[in-house]
Amino acid sequence: MGEEEFRRSFRDPFHNSLGLAVYSCGVQRCASRHSWGPAVRDHYLIHYIVSGRGEFRSCGKQHSLSVGDGFLVVPSQLVSYSADDRDPWTYCWVGFNGSDAKRLMDQTGLLDREPVFHYGGDDRLERLLTDICNSSGSSPSEEARMESGLLLFLAALMDRFGKPAQPQDNGYEYVKKAIKFIDYNYSGDITVSSIAASAGISRSHLYRLFMQHISMPPNEYLMRYRIGKAAGLLKAGGLTVGEAAYSTGFSDQLYFSRVFRRYMGVPPSRYTAGGHRNTGEEKAHE
């Protein structure tokens, strides 16, 4: 880590509406007894110590930290931290928030433990934080690279401290995985076999779980989902029947028209012309 201090802030009201956004990042070689707080932040902030020593105080506890240690500041939590007077620390950090931030932080495992951690063993975290700093800027491409770097950093924390999700005994986690796969891939050439593979179970097991939890087989769910998406495209206008069919995973327009009529009560040509009626199947994809 270089001698110079580096700080960048990217606060923008628009960031509050994003799934994940870097608010700040930096590297700082602190002076003796350099401190911050007691105060609160309105976003997540993770520091990682690359040299020296210091103290972090949170929830009435004081933690003495050194190389390879890190500390987490969560929104609205009162904290303070200060560098050692004889061997002040150098740390790198990233601050972030967004609608996906809490979910991702849950997966790192850091929210379920003390707000301090020890990584050690390699320089992976330092390199990942440095990469975020080197990508910093306000252009769309720079923001994309910062977010990509942040995801890699959080993934490293998940690898070290996170716990793999264990499917629930009733199997609903498998159903959620299958539904997510359908949501992401319905427009492609997917089958029940590929859906089952994505969830890590057999076709027969997937069938039983779908019947148990949503009272329909997976192929029926996929068909309803595709027809619901097609109906939404036709209602919005701008696409022909053939274009709506291909956009939702149907390679045969005649087959699409037959299936569409079976679910929606009218052929797609009348639906797109404004003659659609709500049969209750229209929301099958929601």
Side-chain angles (χ1 to χ4, degrees):
M1 195 67 64
E3 293 288 336
E4 71 279 3
E5 176 181 311
F6 174 85
R7 296 169 178 249
R8 286 298 297 271
S9 177
F10 310 96
R11 292 303 298 271
D12 186 323
F14 176 68
H15 284 168
N16 294 328
S17 64
L18 298 179
L20 189 67
V22 175
Y23 279 19
S24 65
C25 63
V27 178
Q28 186 172 1
R29 183 178 296 277
C30 296
S32 176
R33 297 184 181 179
H34 171 83
S35 65
W36 186 89
V40 299
R41 303 281 191 180
D42 64 354
H43 58 281
Y44 293 96
L45 183 64
I46 300 177
H47 288 72
Y48 183 68
I49 303 161
V50 297
S51 68
R53 307 179 64 84
E55 292 183 346
F56 174 68
R57 290 169 290 279
S58 174
C59 299
K61 295 184 179 180
Q62 181 168 303
H63 306 271
S64 295
L65 306 176
S66 59
V67 178
D69 293 331
F71 59 91
L72 167 67
V73 179
V74 301
S76 303
Q77 185 174 85
L78 185 68
V79 302
S80 64
Y81 43 95
S82 59
D84 187 75
D85 57 346
R86 294 185 178 181
D87 186 17
W89 54 20
T90 295
Y91 49 53
C92 39
W93 79 86
V94 62
F96 58 95
N97 215 337
S99 59
D100 290 334
K102 174 62 166 59
R103 175 180 61 82
L104 291 168
M105 284 304 304
D106 279 334
Q107 294 172 353
T108 66
L110 297 184
L111 297 182
D112 298 327
R113 49 187 290 150
E114 293 285 346
V116 298
F117 60 89
H118 181 77
Y119 191 84
D122 58 51
D123 64 349
R124 186 181 181 189
L125 291 192
E126 180 182 356
R127 287 187 288 104
L128 290 171
L129 287 170
T130 301
D131 287 344
I132 297 173
C133 293
N134 290 338
S135 302
S136 63
S138 55
S139 71
S141 62
E142 289 166 331
E143 289 182 348
R145 278 190 286 271
M146 284 192 297
E147 181 177 337
S148 175
L150 174 59
L151 287 170
L152 290 174
F153 173 71
L154 295 177
L157 294 174
M158 293 174 195
D159 289 340
R160 180 65 63 91
F161 305 110
K163 295 181 179 179
Q166 298 295 325
Q168 297 177 1
D169 291 340
N170 63 9
Y172 187 60
E173 287 297 317
Y174 292 120
V175 175
K176 290 198 297 184
K177 287 182 180 180
I179 289 174
K180 184 176 182 179
F181 179 81
I182 292 171
D183 184 40
Y184 287 175
N185 298 279
Y186 70 91
S187 62
D189 184 22
I190 62 173
T191 64
V192 174
S193 293
S194 61
I195 296 170
S198 75
I201 55 177
S202 67
R203 280 179 56 121
S204 59
H205 194 185
L206 182 70
Y207 176 87
R208 289 193 296 271
L209 291 176
F210 263 65
M211 294 301 295
Q212 175 184 346
H213 293 289
I214 60 177
S215 301
M216 71 177 71
N219 61 326
E220 177 76 5
Y221 181 90
L222 174 61
M223 192 65 70
R224 287 172 179 259
Y225 192 94
R226 283 172 162 167
I227 292 298
K229 288 291 188 181
L233 292 174
L234 292 172
K235 183 187 292 186
L239 295 184
T240 66
V241 170
E243 290 167 343
Y246 284 118
S247 297
T248 52
F250 293 92
S251 59
D252 185 330
Q253 184 176 328
L254 291 178
Y255 174 68
F256 167 73
S257 296
R258 290 198 301 271
V259 175
F260 190 96
R261 181 166 189 164
R262 174 156 55 92
Y263 282 103
M264 304 305 296
V266 294
S269 57
R270 284 181 54 194
Y271 196 91
T272 191
H276 60 272
R277 58 191 177 92
N278 185 0
T279 66
E281 303 291 349
E282 187 173 329
K283 295 185 180 180
H285 67 283
E286 293 183 356

